Amino acid sequence: MIAPSLAASAASTTSTGEAVQFWILAVVAVLGALGAVFMKKAVHSALSLAGTMIVLAVFYLANGAYFLGVVQIVVYTGAIMMLFLFVVMLVGVTAADSLKETIRGQRWLAGLCVLGFGILLMAGIANASLKEWNGVGRANAGGNVEGLASLIFTKYVFAFEITGALLITAAVGAMVLTHRERTERAATQRERAEQRVREGKQVTPLPAPGVYARHNAVDIPGLLPDGTASELTVSPTLRARGQVRDVSGEALQDLKALEQRSSDWLERGRSEDADANAKGASK
Amino acid sequence: MNPVNYLYLAALLFTIGAAGVLIRRNAIVIFMCVELMLNACNLAFVTFARLHGNLDGQIIAFFTMVVAAAEVVVGLAIIVTIFRSRHSASVDDAGLLKL
Amino acid sequence: MENLIGLLVLAPLLGAGVLLCGGRRLDRSGPWLGTLLAAVSFALGVVLFADMLGKGGEERALDVTVFPWVPVGGFRADVGFHLDQLSMTFVLLITGVGSLIHLYSVGYMAHDERKRRFFGYLNLFLAAMLLLVLADNYLLLYVGWEGVGLASYLLIGFWQHKPSAATAAKKAFLVNRVGDMGLSIAIMLLFTTFGTFAFDPVLQRATDAGEGKLTAVALMLLLAACGKSAQVPLQSWLGDAMEGPTPVSALIHAATMVTAGVYLITRSGAVFDAAPDAQTAVVTVGAVTLLFGAIVGCAKDDIKKALAGSTMSQIGYMILAAGLGPVGYVFAIMHLVTHGFFKAGLFLGAGSVMHGMNDEVDMRRYGGLRRYMPVTFVTFGLGYLAIIGFPGLSGFFSKDKIIEAAFAKGGAEGWILGGAALLGAAITAYYMTRVMLLTFFGEKRWQPDAKGELPHPHESPRTMTIPMVVLAFGSVFAGGLFSINDTFLKWLEPVTGHEEGHSPVSALTVTAATMVVLVIGVAIAWAQYGRRPVPVTAPRGSLLTRAARRDLLQDDFNHVVLVRGGEHLTRSLVYVDHTLVDGVVNGTAASVGGLSGRMRKLQNGYARSYAVSMFGGAAVLIAATLLMRAV
């Protein structure tokens, strides 16, 4: 359609500014990607990935895809990554993955495949050896969003409609998958209290964590009269994660530290006295 | 600089994402790696659009985003469901078909 | 006239169908219906014969295509009939002797519960045999050939409750299959060579094909003839076939079925004429069999088995004559016809004797029957005189001609064949005289039967004696009638061709020699069995006698060579099957199983493992794409 004008708008190099931006941000993107893959905790992976996506958004803008750049930030970084974070929270933020491989040979095979794939892909791109390109300046002449809109609602209208249907389906699907039907009436507070009494295990509310006048954090169990920690005072979740802090020996340690410090101080005083005595004696 | 470099970057990101899919066990992380691969593709499409001088590549990238969004919604729902019933997000644990 | 040919075959076929499918209500009328239809067939044959006689020698052949049978592309096989003088001779012999034997059976089988079935089989046999001799192509002939084999199987095993009869039927069928194999191969060879089955084109263009191919065809045809005509090496079934009812022995194993081989060789004369090596094989088979059968006939005490040996021997004469080529064809057929009369007569006589003697078959327990069974004695005696070649009777003319023709072969071969034929004539005289003396002369050696009753010999009913009388007339006069003015020669010559042999010895000398050996044979037999009392139990005898009693060890030979050999072959094949074939199969299975066991580990159930496979595949695809672009 615009074949004759292609040559006219052809360029052979980008601006120096873009080149500098590319080389800097590309490193950031790759680091982010590597972080997403190799971070032990899913949260860190998600954050690394978000960084990479923001960098990609910048690259979209640099490539003349203004609309996509914005969408990338809003939809991907803003919505999808947040969705990921929500799920990570649901599943458990702190549970770090073990990076130890369980399938024998998997890592070697994966490395080999990935390496071969990457090399081949790069070779394919290198093989294309493009010297000139057109740039989207002419296509964006009437505005990037307007250009996209005219394409979406003419040439790609069916695909667009179908993606609409896909989104509806996905939304319904997600709801169906995660929804749990409540099959019985929720118990009222009174009923639960009565049940507690019937079971006779723990009639009163659970004791609060922390030790009076010393600690009130939720991860510190309260002490029983004999000085041992009470299991009931901390959340079972924290117990399961092994995040309970034991402060029962803290008082003794503090005392020991105090004695140490005082003895240190007394020692120094004693030696000075001795010196003074020695001086006094010599006098 | 030649915009072809964007393509190299896209290939690199895609490969890294693929490696993540292959070596990570956490379903969520795997999912994120898939997203990374999709994004790498999008970068390639956008670059192609620039090289060709028309907007079709951007349109495809746009559709990719939509499809990726739908996929994330369903995929994460599945992960949540599996986690609920199995208390694990490891793909190796979902091995009922294993011999 | 042409339509009558179809009817000729159809009448007995119809009889077979009606009798076999008709059910019990035909039990009483069935035998007469079967006999009537056989007679109708004979009457049709006579009408056609009269019609044929009214025409000139070369125009007598009738051809009729009834319907196209297998019209497939260029391949064409029709149900068509060819009635010439050769077929006519057979038609008259088959229907004539056949009708008489039907009549005889009415009396002989009167007390058998399954006689309706018996007559159905007889009719089926007649139909098949007529189809065989009337077919105008080899494929239809093969149908008749197999039909005859089937009917023979059914009739030999008619008393199937006797294990010996069932075994004999199976043996006959199996041995015949070997011959049938030869015929089918010959037909296939003919088709590949000539592209047709019809007699006319095949026989007219016979010399076009190479001699090697014709020799192969001729040898295969000879194999077929050996099977059907009980010639060495496929002779073993005939003796056992005597387990069938006596009319069957008379009809099938004397007059008609066993002559099918002679018919086949004569009909395919052009093929044999063009293959001298095959002809040598034919005369060898004929000469060996005529001596073989004669020797076996000498040692048998069972009257029917002695006659069976004789049949073998006489057909050996015919095969010998047929193997001599145009010199002998006419005499082969002539001997066939006269033999049909006297051998049928002899068998019917034997049946009559057995009928009177409580089904006793051992001749050593007969003796002195001539006073009790006068008609049987006279007719049997005439048949006896005819078969040994007593001057003036049928056998004299036909056998004499064959011996002459054998000498006319010339060279050492002629002398050997002629000598064998002469020797055969002497042995024939010997064993037939033995049969005669043991049965009708000497003192009574009757023994009580299984129930402890002494037999009360009596003349057989009219239905049995009439056929015997008629056949006796044939035995006496047929040869003479045929030989006056060479009637038979002129009759058959247009079909088979004929050339005079040039014998190194004159015809008179041959006749004289035949007379001399005849007298010698009779004299020896009389010296052994006529002058001295005959022991009821057979003496141990010489080695040759004992071997001959065992059919010259034919069954032992077959057992050792074929059965044992077959067993060993089977065992080795089973071994090969177990080790090699099963080994390959099991090995394949095991290796596939082992491979699967290893491959199974690839399917470890880990999604990530599969992902690696997918990814590797994608890498390979990219590599392939790049490679293709590079190339």
Side-chain angles (χ1 to χ4, degrees), chain C residues 210-259:
Chain C
E211 192 183 318
K213 197 148 196 179
L214 282 177
T215 306
V217 172
L219 286 177
M220 284 298 119
L221 288 174
L222 174 62
L223 183 64
C226 282
K228 205 57 100 190
S229 294
Q231 300 295 293
V232 174
L234 298 179
Q235 80 291 358
S236 63
W237 64 274
L238 188 63
D240 290 347
M242 295 303 133
E243 289 293 338
T246 307
V248 173
S249 309
L251 176 63
I252 299 189
H253 309 123
T256 52
M257 169 175 153
V258 288
T259 59

Side-chain angles (χ1 to χ4, degrees), chain C residues 542-563:
Chain C
S542 66
L543 199 64
L544 180 64
T545 315
R546 273 179 281 149
R549 280 197 194 124
R550 293 183 63 99
D551 299 308
L552 289 179
L553 305 178
Q554 59 182 19
D555 288 335
D556 306 83
F557 176 80
N558 285 349
H559 188 77
V560 168
V561 174
L562 299 178
V563 179

Side-chain angles (χ1 to χ4, degrees), chain C residues 3-18 37 40-41 44 66-67 81 123 126-128 130-131 134:
Chain C
N3 296 336
L4 293 184
I5 304 178
L7 280 180
L8 201 61
V9 182
L10 206 59
L13 195 62
L14 185 74
V18 168
L37 284 169
V40 164
S41 203
L44 289 170
V66 183
F67 60 87
F81 296 127
N123 272 356
L126 275 195
L130 286 170
L131 192 64
L134 282 172

